Amino acid sequence: MSDYSHSVEERVDAPKEGIPLSDYTVVRNDIPLKKQWSERKCTMSSCYNKYFDRMINFKSKEDDLWIVTMPKCGTTWMQETAWLVQSDFDFDKAKSIPLTERSPFVELEGLYEGMPPTFDAAENLQSPRLLKSHLPASLLPKELWQNRSKIIYVARNVKDAVVSFQPFLEALATFKGTKEQFIQAFMNDDLYYCPFWPHILEFWEMRHEKNVYFTSYERMKKDLKGVLKDLCEFVGKPIPSEEILNQAVDHLSFDSMKKSSAGKAMQAVIDGIKDLNNNNDSNFQFMRRGIVGSHKDELTADQIKSLDSWSEKFLNEAGVTSEEVFGL
Ligand code: PPS
């Protein structure tokens, strides 16, 4: 059994709008990484502290499949994709049961007060389970590493993730401000699940582990069929016929997911949180644009430059290019 400990520090310097945030620093030594996690923090809601131990001690099963991402990096898209693979491409079931029931967002309950019991939902889900988390590797369950449950990690280029994240957090009443302020908050790690780069680069470093499949939103856009085939291999399923693969690509398209149980279920979650926060001034659409390069007409040249030079520092330190990580 490995030991762990964590400390929590309220972020007094975080933007005053929205819910209180804290830094979670974890000390543990059970993960195949060079750097130890005591060296870095993760920003989460302060109320998550009540759930921290429950997540770390979450009983994991060998046939669990986890989807782990930074927010807005293609989680929902990958959940629907992986669910199809795991469920032998049962399109009828995919259409009839909301994705949030088929694949619970495990720690959602800890993000805001008044959320549904997502830990119970995850614990009680029938195996093989498909579980969603945005937590960095350091905050994920111990047993996930001990049992080597499979993890699918999806990365997305930082600029598109940023422009997707702001309207989302505004809808959730977790941020209010200008784009400039949002980018600054993002780079200062003042937002949920930040820091962004270590989240991705730790999984990049672990991409050759047997239980890790690393991909990107960009690769899914470029070659969804290739990703579907990889996933079949990763979870030990036969690659289906070309006809089924084509049907899957169609089912997983932005337009069809917008209308399906996947897009609608996520929209319902956001609308529920908006109601809890009495936030009526947002018309946020969860299925927003669904493209690569959305930052190009949503950020100024200066904003792009500052995100690029900020990113360069992390990429240089890790000795990789963004082309390698995202397969651009
Ligand atoms: S969340 O709330 O953090 O779990 O959001 P997440 O699912 O990670 O990311 C939401 C973005 O993914 C886009 N999306 C898709 N793009 C292409 N095709 C499909 N099928 C698809 N499904 C979801 C969604 O539109 C969000 O991106 P943006 O750029 O905001 O449109």
Side-chain angles (χ1 to χ4, degrees):
M1 285 283 276
S2 60
D3 285 330
Y4 72 93
S5 64
H6 82 285
S7 55
V8 189
E9 206 179 314
E10 187 106 17
R11 286 199 73 122
V12 281
D13 53 343
K16 295 289 166 270
E17 291 287 346
I19 56 160
L21 296 173
S22 290
D23 279 333
Y24 291 77
T25 308
V26 184
V27 181
R28 58 192 283 191
N29 56 10
D30 56 338
I31 296 132
L33 274 173
K34 282 186 234 114
K35 223 173 184 177
Q36 282 311 306
W37 282 318
S38 51
E39 294 170 40
R40 84 156 181 89
K41 299 167 177 178
C42 172
T43 307
M44 283 287 281
S45 56
S46 299
C47 60
Y48 183 69
N49 199 21
K50 276 193 282 184
Y51 296 86
F52 181 91
D53 286 321
R54 189 162 180 193
M55 188 56 157
I56 291 268
N57 293 315
F58 185 87
K59 293 266 166 250
S60 171
K61 299 179 185 170
E62 262 177 70
D63 59 357
D64 284 344
L65 188 52
W66 287 76
I67 301 200
V68 180
T69 68
M70 258 308 271
K72 314 321 288 177
C73 289
T75 332
T76 313
W77 193 14
M78 179 52 89
Q79 279 174 286
E80 189 70 351
T81 306
W83 189 89
L84 283 182
V85 169
Q86 199 187 35
S87 311
D88 301 315
F89 295 87
D90 188 341
F91 296 104
D92 289 338
K93 198 167 173 189
K95 282 179 197 144
S96 60
I97 304 176
L99 178 61
T100 41
E101 277 175 40
R102 289 181 276 129
S103 172
F105 177 13
V106 184
E107 77 270 11
L108 174 63
E109 187 175 356
L111 299 191
Y112 301 92
E113 304 285 357
M115 287 285 94
T118 47
F119 277 97
D120 283 352
E123 279 158 9
N124 298 332
L125 194 68
Q126 209 183 338
S127 285
R129 302 183 296 186
L130 181 66
L131 303 166
K132 158 181 169 176
S133 177
H134 287 311
L135 291 170
S138 56
L139 272 70
L140 287 171
K142 281 188 294 181
E143 284 196 359
L144 201 150
W145 305 103
Q146 285 157 7
N147 294 342
R148 294 279 162 161
S149 310
K150 292 194 165 81
I151 304 167
I152 298 169
Y153 189 88
V154 190
R156 188 181 193 184
N157 82 81
V158 63
K159 289 165 284 185
D160 289 352
V162 164
V163 297
S164 180
F165 206 12
Q166 182 177 358
F168 179 71
L169 288 185
E170 278 177 357
L172 302 181
T174 309
F175 179 84
K176 201 172 188 175
T178 63
K179 194 151 280 176
E180 205 58 52
Q181 288 165 332
F182 187 82
I183 293 170
Q184 210 47 56
F186 189 86
M187 295 194 296
N188 288 343
D189 306 333
D190 287 341
L191 303 168
Y192 271 128
Y193 298 105
C194 286
F196 177 87
W197 279 109
H199 200 297
I200 291 183
L201 290 171
E202 283 177 354
F203 275 96
W204 171 257
E205 187 181 330
M206 294 190 282
R207 71 195 180 284
H208 298 309
E209 295 293 325
K210 245 179 34 214
N211 60 323
V212 174
Y213 174 71
F214 186 101
T215 192
S216 68
Y217 183 92
E218 290 74 14
R219 168 132 199 261
M220 290 176 75
K221 284 298 280 191
K222 206 192 274 180
D223 182 19
L224 189 54
K225 229 184 245 186
V227 171
L228 278 161
K229 288 181 187 169
D230 285 355
L231 287 176
C232 289
E233 204 184 317
F234 184 61
V235 302
K237 295 275 186 183
I239 294 175
S241 65
E242 200 57 21
E243 193 189 337
I244 299 275
L245 283 173
N246 287 337
Q247 203 180 335
V249 168
D250 191 43
H251 176 95
L252 294 164
S253 72
F254 181 81
D255 288 340
S256 101
M257 267 187 61
K258 193 169 181 159
K259 292 180 231 138
S260 78
S261 85
K264 282 193 183 147
M266 275 311 286
Q267 186 69 43
V269 170
I270 315 304
D271 291 346
I273 301 175
K274 270 170 55 182
D275 286 349
L276 266 177
N277 292 305
N278 297 319
N279 183 10
N280 302 319
D281 44 292
S282 157
N283 290 320
F284 178 75
Q285 290 294 306
F286 180 79
M287 299 293 287
R288 206 181 60 100
R289 296 186 73 184
I291 58 167
V292 174
S294 47
H295 68 275
K296 289 182 187 160
D297 58 5
E298 295 188 58
L299 296 179
T300 65
D302 281 349
Q303 289 164 343
I304 291 177
K305 206 164 137 197
S306 78
L307 279 166
D308 280 344
S309 56
W310 173 73
S311 300
E312 227 174 80
K313 180 171 64 99
F314 294 95
L315 289 162
N316 287 344
E317 203 185 297
V320 283
T321 62
S322 60
E323 288 75 12
E324 284 173 283
V325 176
F326 305 111
L328 289 167

mmCIF file of all heavy atoms in Angstrom, residues 69-77 132 134 156 160 163-164 168 217 221 252-254 257 266 270 286-291 294, ligand 1:
data_model
loop_
_atom_site.group_PDB
_atom_site.id
_atom_site.type_symbol
_atom_site.label_atom_id
_atom_site.label_comp_id
_atom_site.label_asym_id
_atom_site.label_seq_id
_atom_site.Cartn_x
_atom_site.Cartn_y
_atom_site.Cartn_z
ATOM 1 N N THR A 69 -8.941 14.301 -18.614
ATOM 2 C CA THR A 69 -8.583 15.435 -19.473
ATOM 3 C C THR A 69 -8.564 16.705 -18.643
ATOM 4 O O THR A 69 -9.175 16.747 -17.573
ATOM 5 C CB THR A 69 -9.675 15.687 -20.545
ATOM 6 O OG1 THR A 69 -10.835 16.157 -19.862
ATOM 7 C CG2 THR A 69 -10.047 14.460 -21.337
ATOM 8 N N MET A 70 -7.928 17.753 -19.161
ATOM 9 C CA MET A 70 -8.201 19.091 -18.650
ATOM 10 C C MET A 70 -9.584 19.449 -19.191
ATOM 11 O O MET A 70 -9.962 18.963 -20.269
ATOM 12 C CB MET A 70 -7.178 20.088 -19.210
ATOM 13 C CG MET A 70 -6.070 20.505 -18.284
ATOM 14 S SD MET A 70 -6.588 21.110 -16.671
ATOM 15 C CE MET A 70 -6.830 22.865 -16.947
ATOM 16 N N PRO A 71 -10.345 20.308 -18.475
ATOM 17 C CA PRO A 71 -11.658 20.676 -19.016
ATOM 18 C C PRO A 71 -11.549 21.254 -20.433
ATOM 19 O O PRO A 71 -10.554 21.881 -20.784
ATOM 20 C CB PRO A 71 -12.141 21.764 -18.036
ATOM 21 C CG PRO A 71 -11.432 21.467 -16.763
ATOM 22 C CD PRO A 71 -10.093 20.901 -17.161
ATOM 23 N N LYS A 72 -12.596 21.010 -21.203
ATOM 24 C CA LYS A 72 -12.779 21.539 -22.556
ATOM 25 C C LYS A 72 -11.832 20.964 -23.603
ATOM 26 O O LYS A 72 -11.624 21.549 -24.658
ATOM 27 C CB LYS A 72 -12.679 23.087 -22.577
ATOM 28 C CG LYS A 72 -13.432 23.810 -21.516
ATOM 29 C CD LYS A 72 -14.778 23.236 -21.177
ATOM 30 C CE LYS A 72 -15.846 23.443 -22.215
ATOM 31 N NZ LYS A 72 -17.110 22.755 -21.776
ATOM 32 N N CYS A 73 -11.250 19.811 -23.293
ATOM 33 C CA CYS A 73 -10.295 19.215 -24.229
ATOM 34 C C CYS A 73 -10.884 18.068 -25.040
ATOM 35 O O CYS A 73 -10.140 17.346 -25.715
ATOM 36 C CB CYS A 73 -9.049 18.763 -23.470
ATOM 37 S SG CYS A 73 -8.066 20.158 -22.902
ATOM 38 N N GLY A 74 -12.197 17.861 -24.970
ATOM 39 C CA GLY A 74 -12.807 16.796 -25.773
ATOM 40 C C GLY A 74 -13.262 15.603 -24.930
ATOM 41 O O GLY A 74 -13.465 14.506 -25.461
ATOM 42 N N THR A 75 -13.469 15.845 -23.647
ATOM 43 C CA THR A 75 -13.883 14.784 -22.724
ATOM 44 C C THR A 75 -15.161 14.083 -23.185
ATOM 45 O O THR A 75 -15.207 12.856 -23.304
ATOM 46 C CB THR A 75 -14.186 15.384 -21.324
ATOM 47 O OG1 THR A 75 -13.407 16.555 -21.133
ATOM 48 C CG2 THR A 75 -13.988 14.380 -20.232
ATOM 49 N N THR A 76 -16.189 14.892 -23.422
ATOM 50 C CA THR A 76 -17.515 14.341 -23.732
ATOM 51 C C THR A 76 -17.471 13.564 -25.046
ATOM 52 O O THR A 76 -18.050 12.482 -25.167
ATOM 53 C CB THR A 76 -18.527 15.510 -23.833
ATOM 54 O OG1 THR A 76 -18.318 16.360 -22.704
ATOM 55 C CG2 THR A 76 -19.951 15.015 -23.866
ATOM 56 N N TRP A 77 -16.755 14.130 -25.983
ATOM 57 C CA TRP A 77 -16.592 13.472 -27.290
ATOM 58 C C TRP A 77 -15.900 12.120 -27.095
ATOM 59 O O TRP A 77 -16.327 11.095 -27.639
ATOM 60 C CB TRP A 77 -15.776 14.396 -28.186
ATOM 61 C CG TRP A 77 -15.757 14.031 -29.633
ATOM 62 C CD1 TRP A 77 -16.583 13.144 -30.268
ATOM 63 C CD2 TRP A 77 -14.874 14.558 -30.615
ATOM 64 N NE1 TRP A 77 -16.260 13.090 -31.594
ATOM 65 C CE2 TRP A 77 -15.218 13.949 -31.834
ATOM 66 C CE3 TRP A 77 -13.834 15.489 -30.592
ATOM 67 C CZ2 TRP A 77 -14.546 14.234 -33.029
ATOM 68 C CZ3 TRP A 77 -13.171 15.784 -31.773
ATOM 69 C CH2 TRP A 77 -13.528 15.166 -32.977
ATOM 70 N N LYS A 132 -15.391 9.426 -15.856
ATOM 71 C CA LYS A 132 -14.787 10.694 -16.306
ATOM 72 C C LYS A 132 -14.178 11.436 -15.133
ATOM 73 O O LYS A 132 -14.794 11.528 -14.065
ATOM 74 C CB LYS A 132 -15.874 11.569 -16.951
ATOM 75 C CG LYS A 132 -15.536 13.072 -16.971
ATOM 76 C CD LYS A 132 -16.635 13.913 -17.596
ATOM 77 C CE LYS A 132 -16.391 15.402 -17.350
ATOM 78 N NZ LYS A 132 -17.366 16.278 -18.014
ATOM 79 N N HIS A 134 -11.553 15.121 -14.430
ATOM 80 C CA HIS A 134 -10.640 16.165 -14.920
ATOM 81 C C HIS A 134 -9.435 16.310 -13.993
ATOM 82 O O HIS A 134 -8.618 17.205 -14.179
ATOM 83 C CB HIS A 134 -11.357 17.518 -14.974
ATOM 84 C CG HIS A 134 -12.361 17.651 -16.070
ATOM 85 N ND1 HIS A 134 -12.077 17.318 -17.369
ATOM 86 C CD2 HIS A 134 -13.637 18.108 -16.063
ATOM 87 C CE1 HIS A 134 -13.163 17.558 -18.111
ATOM 88 N NE2 HIS A 134 -14.108 18.030 -17.343
ATOM 89 N N ARG A 156 -5.713 18.944 -25.585
ATOM 90 C CA ARG A 156 -6.151 19.870 -26.647
ATOM 91 C C ARG A 156 -5.257 21.099 -26.610
ATOM 92 O O ARG A 156 -4.826 21.511 -25.517
ATOM 93 C CB ARG A 156 -7.612 20.287 -26.399
ATOM 94 C CG ARG A 156 -8.219 21.093 -27.532
ATOM 95 C CD ARG A 156 -9.659 21.516 -27.226
ATOM 96 N NE ARG A 156 -10.332 22.010 -28.412
ATOM 97 C CZ ARG A 156 -11.569 22.509 -28.421
ATOM 98 N NH1 ARG A 156 -12.277 22.560 -27.301
ATOM 99 N NH2 ARG A 156 -12.104 22.954 -29.539
ATOM 100 N N ASP A 160 -7.307 26.900 -28.010
ATOM 101 C CA ASP A 160 -8.709 26.503 -28.216
ATOM 102 C C ASP A 160 -9.352 26.110 -26.880
ATOM 103 O O ASP A 160 -10.542 26.357 -26.656
ATOM 104 C CB ASP A 160 -8.802 25.322 -29.193
ATOM 105 C CG ASP A 160 -8.479 25.738 -30.629
ATOM 106 O OD1 ASP A 160 -8.327 26.950 -30.885
ATOM 107 O OD2 ASP A 160 -8.378 24.844 -31.494
ATOM 108 N N VAL A 163 -10.391 29.393 -25.091
ATOM 109 C CA VAL A 163 -11.603 30.072 -25.581
ATOM 110 C C VAL A 163 -12.868 29.249 -25.331
ATOM 111 O O VAL A 163 -13.965 29.782 -25.262
ATOM 112 C CB VAL A 163 -11.514 30.502 -27.072
ATOM 113 C CG1 VAL A 163 -10.407 31.514 -27.278
ATOM 114 C CG2 VAL A 163 -11.348 29.321 -27.998
ATOM 115 N N SER A 164 -12.683 27.967 -25.159
ATOM 116 C CA SER A 164 -13.837 27.114 -24.820
ATOM 117 C C SER A 164 -14.146 27.209 -23.320
ATOM 118 O O SER A 164 -15.307 27.126 -22.902
ATOM 119 C CB SER A 164 -13.512 25.670 -25.211
ATOM 120 O OG SER A 164 -14.561 24.806 -24.914
ATOM 121 N N PHE A 168 -17.738 28.716 -20.602
ATOM 122 C CA PHE A 168 -18.186 27.604 -19.756
ATOM 123 C C PHE A 168 -18.147 28.020 -18.276
ATOM 124 O O PHE A 168 -19.135 27.896 -17.552
ATOM 125 C CB PHE A 168 -17.250 26.421 -20.020
ATOM 126 C CG PHE A 168 -17.526 25.182 -19.233
ATOM 127 C CD1 PHE A 168 -18.646 24.417 -19.508
ATOM 128 C CD2 PHE A 168 -16.658 24.758 -18.244
ATOM 129 C CE1 PHE A 168 -18.894 23.243 -18.794
ATOM 130 C CE2 PHE A 168 -16.899 23.598 -17.533
ATOM 131 C CZ PHE A 168 -18.022 22.838 -17.814
ATOM 132 N N TYR A 217 -7.572 16.085 -29.026
ATOM 133 C CA TYR A 217 -8.773 16.571 -29.723
ATOM 134 C C TYR A 217 -8.458 16.728 -31.214
ATOM 135 O O TYR A 217 -9.243 16.349 -32.072
ATOM 136 C CB TYR A 217 -9.157 17.923 -29.114
ATOM 137 C CG TYR A 217 -10.410 18.544 -29.660
ATOM 138 C CD1 TYR A 217 -11.644 18.308 -29.053
ATOM 139 C CD2 TYR A 217 -10.383 19.391 -30.774
ATOM 140 C CE1 TYR A 217 -12.812 18.896 -29.552
ATOM 141 C CE2 TYR A 217 -11.536 19.971 -31.279
ATOM 142 C CZ TYR A 217 -12.739 19.717 -30.663
ATOM 143 O OH TYR A 217 -13.893 20.287 -31.158
ATOM 144 N N LYS A 221 -10.150 14.981 -34.473
ATOM 145 C CA LYS A 221 -10.710 15.714 -35.614
ATOM 146 C C LYS A 221 -10.127 15.204 -36.932
ATOM 147 O O LYS A 221 -10.814 15.108 -37.929
ATOM 148 C CB LYS A 221 -10.398 17.224 -35.499
ATOM 149 C CG LYS A 221 -11.213 18.000 -34.507
ATOM 150 C CD LYS A 221 -12.694 18.042 -34.765
ATOM 151 C CE LYS A 221 -13.169 19.019 -35.787
ATOM 152 N NZ LYS A 221 -14.658 19.155 -35.749
ATOM 153 N N LEU A 252 -20.717 10.203 -33.975
ATOM 154 C CA LEU A 252 -19.830 11.027 -33.144
ATOM 155 C C LEU A 252 -19.568 12.412 -33.733
ATOM 156 O O LEU A 252 -18.792 13.187 -33.165
ATOM 157 C CB LEU A 252 -18.488 10.306 -32.938
ATOM 158 C CG LEU A 252 -18.571 9.012 -32.116
ATOM 159 C CD1 LEU A 252 -17.310 8.179 -32.291
ATOM 160 C CD2 LEU A 252 -18.812 9.329 -30.643
ATOM 161 N N SER A 253 -20.206 12.721 -34.868
ATOM 162 C CA SER A 253 -19.962 14.034 -35.473
ATOM 163 C C SER A 253 -20.534 15.113 -34.553
ATOM 164 O O SER A 253 -21.444 14.860 -33.744
ATOM 165 C CB SER A 253 -20.630 14.118 -36.848
ATOM 166 O OG SER A 253 -22.030 14.197 -36.671
ATOM 167 N N PHE A 254 -19.998 16.310 -34.679
ATOM 168 C CA PHE A 254 -20.440 17.424 -33.836
ATOM 169 C C PHE A 254 -21.953 17.614 -33.958
ATOM 170 O O PHE A 254 -22.658 17.704 -32.951
ATOM 171 C CB PHE A 254 -19.683 18.700 -34.250
ATOM 172 C CG PHE A 254 -20.036 19.895 -33.426
ATOM 173 C CD1 PHE A 254 -19.465 20.104 -32.178
ATOM 174 C CD2 PHE A 254 -20.951 20.833 -33.896
ATOM 175 C CE1 PHE A 254 -19.795 21.215 -31.410
ATOM 176 C CE2 PHE A 254 -21.287 21.942 -33.135
ATOM 177 C CZ PHE A 254 -20.708 22.131 -31.898
ATOM 178 N N MET A 257 -23.872 14.736 -32.347
ATOM 179 C CA MET A 257 -23.767 14.713 -30.872
ATOM 180 C C MET A 257 -24.518 15.870 -30.217
ATOM 181 O O MET A 257 -24.987 15.776 -29.098
ATOM 182 C CB MET A 257 -22.306 14.700 -30.437
ATOM 183 C CG MET A 257 -21.824 13.272 -30.223
ATOM 184 S SD MET A 257 -20.190 13.135 -29.516
ATOM 185 C CE MET A 257 -20.328 13.935 -27.943
ATOM 186 N N MET A 266 -24.962 16.830 -21.271
ATOM 187 C CA MET A 266 -24.013 17.802 -20.738
ATOM 188 C C MET A 266 -24.666 19.174 -20.624
ATOM 189 O O MET A 266 -24.449 19.902 -19.674
ATOM 190 C CB MET A 266 -22.766 17.876 -21.627
ATOM 191 C CG MET A 266 -21.735 16.829 -21.306
ATOM 192 S SD MET A 266 -21.331 16.727 -19.550
ATOM 193 C CE MET A 266 -20.351 18.199 -19.296
ATOM 194 N N ILE A 270 -25.030 21.598 -17.209
ATOM 195 C CA ILE A 270 -24.649 23.020 -17.123
ATOM 196 C C ILE A 270 -25.874 23.850 -16.729
ATOM 197 O O ILE A 270 -25.787 24.732 -15.872
ATOM 198 C CB ILE A 270 -24.102 23.576 -18.478
ATOM 199 C CG1 ILE A 270 -23.111 22.625 -19.137
ATOM 200 C CG2 ILE A 270 -23.542 24.991 -18.323
ATOM 201 C CD1 ILE A 270 -21.943 22.210 -18.353
ATOM 202 N N PHE A 286 -23.304 24.114 -24.671
ATOM 203 C CA PHE A 286 -22.192 23.193 -24.408
ATOM 204 C C PHE A 286 -21.517 22.791 -25.723
ATOM 205 O O PHE A 286 -20.295 22.819 -25.855
ATOM 206 C CB PHE A 286 -22.675 21.945 -23.648
ATOM 207 C CG PHE A 286 -21.540 21.008 -23.390
ATOM 208 C CD1 PHE A 286 -20.643 21.244 -22.362
ATOM 209 C CD2 PHE A 286 -21.316 19.915 -24.219
ATOM 210 C CE1 PHE A 286 -19.552 20.418 -22.154
ATOM 211 C CE2 PHE A 286 -20.232 19.081 -24.021
ATOM 212 C CZ PHE A 286 -19.345 19.328 -22.977
ATOM 213 N N MET A 287 -22.309 22.372 -26.704
ATOM 214 C CA MET A 287 -21.758 22.041 -28.023
ATOM 215 C C MET A 287 -21.613 23.378 -28.744
ATOM 216 O O MET A 287 -22.510 23.819 -29.456
ATOM 217 C CB MET A 287 -22.698 21.092 -28.764
ATOM 218 C CG MET A 287 -22.919 19.754 -28.063
ATOM 219 S SD MET A 287 -21.459 18.705 -27.987
ATOM 220 C CE MET A 287 -21.320 18.174 -29.683
ATOM 221 N N ARG A 288 -20.489 24.021 -28.569
ATOM 222 C CA ARG A 288 -20.309 25.418 -28.951
ATOM 223 C C ARG A 288 -19.879 25.545 -30.417
ATOM 224 O O ARG A 288 -20.648 25.937 -31.265
ATOM 225 C CB ARG A 288 -19.260 26.017 -27.997
ATOM 226 C CG ARG A 288 -19.321 27.502 -27.753
ATOM 227 C CD ARG A 288 -18.198 27.904 -26.797
ATOM 228 N NE ARG A 288 -16.905 27.574 -27.370
ATOM 229 C CZ ARG A 288 -16.093 28.431 -27.984
ATOM 230 N NH1 ARG A 288 -16.450 29.690 -28.084
ATOM 231 N NH2 ARG A 288 -14.935 28.044 -28.478
ATOM 232 N N ARG A 289 -18.623 25.180 -30.723
ATOM 233 C CA ARG A 289 -18.141 25.302 -32.102
ATOM 234 C C ARG A 289 -17.593 23.980 -32.651
ATOM 235 O O ARG A 289 -17.778 23.656 -33.808
ATOM 236 C CB ARG A 289 -17.054 26.380 -32.198
ATOM 237 C CG ARG A 289 -17.560 27.760 -31.863
ATOM 238 C CD ARG A 289 -16.482 28.805 -32.118
ATOM 239 N NE ARG A 289 -16.262 29.053 -33.530
ATOM 240 C CZ ARG A 289 -15.316 29.865 -34.004
ATOM 241 N NH1 ARG A 289 -14.517 30.498 -33.167
ATOM 242 N NH2 ARG A 289 -15.153 30.056 -35.292
ATOM 243 N N GLY A 290 -16.846 23.282 -31.819
ATOM 244 C CA GLY A 290 -16.353 21.959 -32.206
ATOM 245 C C GLY A 290 -15.346 21.955 -33.332
ATOM 246 O O GLY A 290 -15.380 21.072 -34.192
ATOM 247 N N ILE A 291 -14.454 22.940 -33.334
ATOM 248 C CA ILE A 291 -13.456 22.993 -34.411
ATOM 249 C C ILE A 291 -12.046 23.128 -33.835
ATOM 250 O O ILE A 291 -11.874 23.472 -32.667
ATOM 251 C CB ILE A 291 -13.706 24.179 -35.383
ATOM 252 C CG1 ILE A 291 -13.690 25.526 -34.621
ATOM 253 C CG2 ILE A 291 -15.010 24.005 -36.135
ATOM 254 C CD1 ILE A 291 -13.618 26.742 -35.524
ATOM 255 N N SER A 294 -10.339 27.453 -33.146
ATOM 256 C CA SER A 294 -11.370 28.435 -32.791
ATOM 257 C C SER A 294 -10.750 29.709 -32.200
ATOM 258 O O SER A 294 -11.340 30.784 -32.270
ATOM 259 C CB SER A 294 -12.371 27.834 -31.809
ATOM 260 O OG SER A 294 -11.698 27.165 -30.771
HETATM 261 S S1 PPS B 1 -16.022 19.510 -20.310
HETATM 262 O O1 PPS B 1 -17.185 20.280 -19.858
HETATM 263 O O2 PPS B 1 -14.787 20.065 -19.742
HETATM 264 O O3 PPS B 1 -16.139 18.090 -20.030
HETATM 265 O O4 PPS B 1 -15.951 19.783 -21.872
HETATM 266 P P1 PPS B 1 -15.295 18.819 -22.946
HETATM 267 O O5 PPS B 1 -16.272 17.789 -23.313
HETATM 268 O O6 PPS B 1 -13.947 18.396 -22.508
HETATM 269 O O7 PPS B 1 -15.053 19.797 -24.173
HETATM 270 C C1 PPS B 1 -16.096 20.518 -24.781
HETATM 271 C C2 PPS B 1 -15.567 20.905 -26.157
HETATM 272 O O8 PPS B 1 -15.610 19.761 -27.013
HETATM 273 C C3 PPS B 1 -16.421 20.058 -28.147
HETATM 274 N N1 PPS B 1 -17.092 18.851 -28.644
HETATM 275 C C4 PPS B 1 -16.894 18.364 -29.889
HETATM 276 N N2 PPS B 1 -16.103 18.775 -30.897
HETATM 277 C C5 PPS B 1 -16.142 18.048 -32.049
HETATM 278 N N3 PPS B 1 -16.942 16.988 -32.237
HETATM 279 C C6 PPS B 1 -17.746 16.530 -31.246
HETATM 280 N N4 PPS B 1 -18.540 15.481 -31.448
HETATM 281 C C7 PPS B 1 -17.729 17.231 -29.999
HETATM 282 N N5 PPS B 1 -18.396 17.072 -28.821
HETATM 283 C C8 PPS B 1 -17.981 18.073 -28.015
HETATM 284 C C9 PPS B 1 -17.395 21.108 -27.611
HETATM 285 O O9 PPS B 1 -18.031 21.789 -28.655
HETATM 286 C C10 PPS B 1 -16.422 21.974 -26.811
HETATM 287 O O10 PPS B 1 -15.523 22.710 -27.634
HETATM 288 P P2 PPS B 1 -15.787 24.190 -28.171
HETATM 289 O O11 PPS B 1 -14.492 24.651 -28.767
HETATM 290 O O12 PPS B 1 -16.191 25.011 -26.991
HETATM 291 O O13 PPS B 1 -16.875 24.080 -29.198
#
